[in-house]
Amino acid sequence: MRGIDHKQGALFSYVNIEDRIDPDHPLRRIKTLADMVLRTMSPHFDALYAEGGRPSIAPERLLRASLLQCLFSIRSERALVEHIDFNMMFRWFVGLTLDEPVWDHSTFSANRERLLKESVMREFFGGVVAVAEWAELVSDEHFSVDGSLLRAWASHKSLRARDNSDEPPGPDQGRNPEVDFRGKKRSNKTHVSRTDPQALLASKGGGVAYLSYTTHALAENRHGLIVDVHTTTATGTAEREAALVMAKRSIKPGNSTHKPTLAADRGYDTAEFIAALEPLGIAPHVAAKTKGGAVPEKVKSTPGYAVSLRRRKMIEEAFGWAKEIGTLRHAMARGLDRIGAHALLNFSAYNLTRLGNLLAP
């Protein structure tokens, strides 16, 4: 029998939003893990807000919404708020009931400014790593490091000469003036971006140079979880410098007779970097260059060296996820601190996704 296409909606509806979410849905595990971390951050949140005044959006809801943006590849905060409004599952994840009004996107953006700082996001990221350590899913002996360029939220048109020798745009050019780059060389020494002065011109593999930042990650080699993130300006030596910063901060030689190992690609095979790992008690499992490499032969002859180079590729999966699924393909913020916060948020979302799968029954 054909059903009737009723046009009139019901006057009342009694829906338990919890019952509408599949018990085995992956978001349930991610939400449980994220809430564990957010509960530990409550004292930090208290310090960010004044004791009096009008209540703002709860920071826990802001961070859950930001995780959704990374997990579902939502490219703007306006679109994120729209999704939360009509998507029952998103409402459930954030913590909104079906009857609660959703914030205006401008209100959401203004409130999230307080949280999207590197100090806050590093505490959240550290909490996620602590959960992985508690579950004994993190190796404390074998690690990999890598870096990747992030396109800055600034265009070539924003570049201006540092000595102000550029000709000013015509009187009728508007907010997007015509700029002729033909025959003019631009470099970080001679030009700077007006919209994001900390962004630097950089290219990958000798291709087109874009205003960029560099984000670096340190992964453990057991499950490929990211245990440290460091974001810098896009200089030629940033990858090796950031690797040493993260190694000192996150790799602690234990009581084992074996040294902890650090795997990396050929870009890290320099005499200075290999020598800097020796005082830290870290074995350099770096992919050796064909000619002129600095990796010692005694290291390359060990069985663990080949294993480290094979497991190193897992860190590339994390960068691929953060750029294809997350929001790091093209930065949606300006300034080193905020770019660093976005990187920590994306790698936190990646770790939560991996942990949800690893801890699934």
Side-chain angles (χ1 to χ4, degrees):
M1 177 179 177
R2 178 181 174 181
I4 301 174
D5 182 18
H6 293 288
K7 300 295 184 182
Q8 183 176 356
L11 182 60
F12 300 103
S13 178
Y14 301 94
V15 177
N16 185 353
I17 194 171
E18 186 72 26
D19 297 337
R20 294 300 182 95
I21 310 301
D22 191 334
D24 296 327
H25 198 285
L27 272 185
R28 281 192 176 274
R29 297 189 292 271
I30 293 176
K31 186 175 188 297
T32 299
L33 295 170
D35 287 346
M36 290 173 59
V37 178
L38 290 173
R39 280 193 292 271
T40 65
M41 294 180 64
S42 184
H44 195 144
F45 292 147
D46 290 338
L48 294 175
Y49 294 84
E51 295 183 0
R54 185 174 61 181
S56 63
I57 303 173
E60 293 85 354
R61 292 183 172 183
L62 291 171
L63 276 178
R64 291 193 203 102
S66 300
L67 286 174
L68 285 175
Q69 188 172 10
C70 298
L71 293 170
F72 288 90
S73 309
I74 302 174
R75 297 303 175 184
S76 71
E77 294 175 353
R78 182 189 293 269
L80 173 63
V81 172
E82 289 179 356
H83 277 282
I84 295 173
D85 191 17
F86 65 71
N87 192 319
M88 188 182 299
M89 183 175 64
F90 282 19
R91 280 179 169 268
W92 165 82
F93 188 87
V94 171
L96 293 170
T97 66
L98 288 176
D99 298 325
E100 282 186 86
V102 181
W103 332 284
D104 184 83
H105 68 91
S106 61
T107 304
F108 176 82
S109 301
N111 279 266
R112 200 169 70 155
E113 287 295 316
R114 183 183 283 109
L115 294 181
L116 275 182
K117 297 179 179 179
E118 186 168 359
S119 59
V120 179
M121 295 314 305
R122 186 165 294 281
E123 182 171 352
F124 181 72
F125 174 82
V128 175
V129 175
V131 171
E133 291 174 343
W134 169 79
E136 298 182 349
L137 296 173
V138 176
S139 170
D140 58 357
E141 292 183 347
H142 307 292
F143 300 87
S144 296
V145 67
D146 203 358
S148 182
L149 288 178
L150 304 181
R151 286 277 300 275
W153 197 14
S155 68
H156 280 277
K157 285 187 176 183
S158 70
L159 288 172
R160 293 293 181 267
R162 293 182 181 272
D163 58 2
N164 297 320
S165 60
D166 288 336
E167 294 183 5
D172 299 323
Q173 292 293 312
R175 62 186 295 269
N176 191 12
E178 294 291 335
V179 180
D180 185 9
F181 300 136
R182 194 179 300 275
K184 298 180 180 179
K185 293 185 178 181
R186 294 164 180 251
S187 68
N188 294 318
K189 292 183 178 180
T190 60
H191 288 74
V192 64
S193 171
R194 291 184 297 109
T195 53
D196 192 352
Q198 291 180 293
L200 298 178
L201 286 168
S203 64
K204 189 72 172 179
V208 178
Y210 294 99
L211 288 165
S212 307
Y213 288 90
T214 308
T215 190
H216 318 266
L218 181 72
E220 53 83 34
N221 286 355
R222 183 181 300 170
H223 296 292
L225 295 168
I226 305 301
V227 296
D228 202 349
V229 179
H230 191 62
T231 304
T232 65
T233 54
T235 63
T237 59
E239 287 191 343
R240 296 185 292 274
E241 293 169 355
L244 293 175
V245 170
M246 293 187 293
K248 294 175 183 177
R249 187 164 58 195
S250 300
I251 301 179
K252 307 298 182 185
N255 297 324
S256 174
T257 56
H258 301 286
K259 286 184 177 181
T261 65
L262 181 63
D265 59 32
R266 287 184 175 87
Y268 295 82
D269 186 10
T270 65
E272 294 80 7
F273 181 74
I274 301 300
L277 292 179
E278 182 62 29
L280 301 178
I282 299 173
H285 284 192
V286 178
K289 295 177 181 177
T290 306
K291 295 181 179 180
V295 182
E297 290 295 331
K298 65 177 182 180
V299 173
K300 291 190 287 185
S301 62
T302 59
Y305 179 75
V307 176
S308 291
L309 294 187
R310 186 172 67 251
R311 301 295 288 178
R312 178 190 66 81
K313 297 178 181 179
M314 289 191 296
I315 196 173
E316 297 176 359
E317 298 175 9
F319 279 104
W321 188 96
K323 290 191 173 184
E324 293 298 325
I325 306 297
T327 61
L328 289 187
R329 173 163 292 278
H330 202 141
M332 297 188 295
R334 294 191 179 109
L336 184 59
D337 184 77
R338 292 187 63 196
I339 297 293
H342 277 268
L344 286 163
L345 174 65
N346 276 269
F347 284 113
S348 297
Y350 173 78
N351 279 348
L352 288 170
T353 303
R354 292 282 294 134
L355 286 172
N357 294 333
L358 291 169
L359 296 175

